[in-house]
């Protein structure tokens, strides 16, 4: 069964089933499923590669060590940063002991990964499936991960700055310099960023750099290289900024649980 209604020939499970169902999809880099929802709970996990999920105003970058629990009927979009294999695990709400109302990041260790693979089999006896499912629920362990929120300003002048920085997060021009490019004053641009995103320009730029850094880190790019690519002069400055944003070091963020 394919994991998403936007994939050709796929099937989205209806709430009538009573067991955990597992779908798998090989995704080329750049493939994106636009906003949609399911009538069942879903766990999105990349067994290989990195996926992103956007829901409820936040974006999660998910290497194989992390999966995202998406409650039933919550709209979300999913994308592959590079080539990826995505496993979607579906849980019928009426028989599911988990009742998280918001998207929740789950740590995926080797045992949980093996159990998901086990439950993808079509030949499991009902009692064997029931035992495996019970263990899966025991292993759904939330981890504290800060989401990256990066709204786009509505005003076209501020939006032009945001688009340029998304394309090149290492660009370190200040608002006065951007003002000369867009025809707006420094003060006007500062006001437009706060009004359009809820963030100061400096905060938005820092968030943008983290958005650009996460996929690179997930692909195994060296921290020093990532730092330069997203606009930090040294690896230590980048690591400090990463800790401010996420509360942990890049290595801890992507470490696979034992």
């Amino acid at each position: 069964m394919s994991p998403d209604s936007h994939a050709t020939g796929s099937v989205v499970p209806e709430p009538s089933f009573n067991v955990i169902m597992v779908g798998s999809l090989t995704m080329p880099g750049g493939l994106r499923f636009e906003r949609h929802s399911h009538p069942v709970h879903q766990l999105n996990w990349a067994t290989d590669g990195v996926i992103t999920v956007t829901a409820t105003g936040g974006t999660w970058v998910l290497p194989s060590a992390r999966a995202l629990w998406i409650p039933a009927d919550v709209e979300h979009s999913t994308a592959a940063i590079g080539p990826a294999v995505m496993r979607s695990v579906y849980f019928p709400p009426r028989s599911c002991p988990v009742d998280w109302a918001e998207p929740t990041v789950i740590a995926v260790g080797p045992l949980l990964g093996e159990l998901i693979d086990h439950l993808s089999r079509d030949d499991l006896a009902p009692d064997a499936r029931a035992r495996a499912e019970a263990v899966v629920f025991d292993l759904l362990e939330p981890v504290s991960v800060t989401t990256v929120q990066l709204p786009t300003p509505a005003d076209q002048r501020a939006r032009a700055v945001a688009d340029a920085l998304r394309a090149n997060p290492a660009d370190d021009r200040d608002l006065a310099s951007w003002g000369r490019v867009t025809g707006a004053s420094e003060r006007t641009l500062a006001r437009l960023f706060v009004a359009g995103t809820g963030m100061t320009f400096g905060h938005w730029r820092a968030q943008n750099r983290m958005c650009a850094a996460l996929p690179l880190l997930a692909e195994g790019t060296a921290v020093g290289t990532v730092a330069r690519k997203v606009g930090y002069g040294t690896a230590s400055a980048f690591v400090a900024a990463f800790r401010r944003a996420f509360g942990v070091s890049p290595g801890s963020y992507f470490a696979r649980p034992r």
Side-chain angles (χ1 to χ4, degrees):
M1 179 183 61
S2 299
D4 204 293
S5 62
H6 290 26
T8 302
S10 63
V11 177
V12 174
E14 296 298 329
S16 58
F17 72 95
N18 293 308
V19 298
I20 295 173
M21 300 181 73
V22 181
S24 183
L25 181 67
T26 298
M27 302 174 68
L31 179 64
R32 181 180 183 85
F33 298 117
E34 298 299 340
R35 292 184 68 84
H36 62 285
S37 63
H38 304 290
V40 293
H41 305 312
Q42 181 182 13
L43 188 69
N44 265 9
W45 172 47
T47 61
D48 294 291
V50 182
I51 60 174
T52 64
V53 180
T54 299
T56 61
T59 297
W60 292 263
V61 179
L62 303 169
S64 61
R66 301 284 183 263
L68 186 69
W69 176 274
I70 306 169
D73 300 319
V74 170
E75 287 197 346
H76 59 281
S77 61
T78 307
I81 293 175
V85 176
M86 183 174 71
R87 279 281 168 93
S88 287
V89 188
Y90 300 102
F91 302 81
R94 67 184 180 184
S95 60
C96 181
V98 177
D99 59 358
W100 299 318
E102 299 292 333
T104 302
V105 176
I106 301 298
V108 181
L111 179 55
L112 179 56
E114 290 293 334
L115 278 169
I116 291 172
D117 287 341
H118 182 63
L119 287 169
S120 68
R121 293 170 49 185
D122 296 327
D123 60 348
L124 282 181
D127 56 344
R129 175 174 288 279
R131 289 192 297 270
E133 289 183 358
V135 180
V136 165
F137 289 122
D138 286 341
L139 295 176
L140 293 180
E141 178 184 351
V143 293
S144 179
V145 174
T146 303
T147 63
V148 179
Q149 297 183 331
L150 199 68
T152 300
D155 184 273
Q156 64 180 2
R157 294 164 293 181
R159 188 167 62 248
V161 178
D163 289 344
L165 289 174
R166 280 195 172 103
N168 179 17
D171 192 323
D172 63 356
R173 281 179 285 181
D174 59 18
L175 278 182
S177 300
W178 284 115
R180 290 190 287 273
V181 173
T182 62
S185 70
E186 177 181 1
R187 180 175 295 180
T188 296
L189 283 177
R191 176 178 55 80
L192 291 172
F193 262 90
V194 172
T197 70
M199 306 177 194
T200 65
F201 172 71
H203 186 195
W204 190 96
R205 181 161 61 184
Q207 289 283 85
N208 179 60
R209 287 175 169 175
M210 292 301 108
C211 278
L214 284 171
L216 296 171
L217 291 168
E219 292 170 352
T221 306
V223 169
T225 301
V226 174
R228 292 191 297 273
K229 284 181 175 290
V230 302
Y232 291 92
T234 64
S236 59
F238 167 72
V239 170
F242 193 96
R243 283 186 178 277
R244 287 194 297 272
F246 298 106
V248 295
S249 69
S252 296
Y253 185 96
F254 288 101
R256 192 175 185 106
R258 292 183 180 274

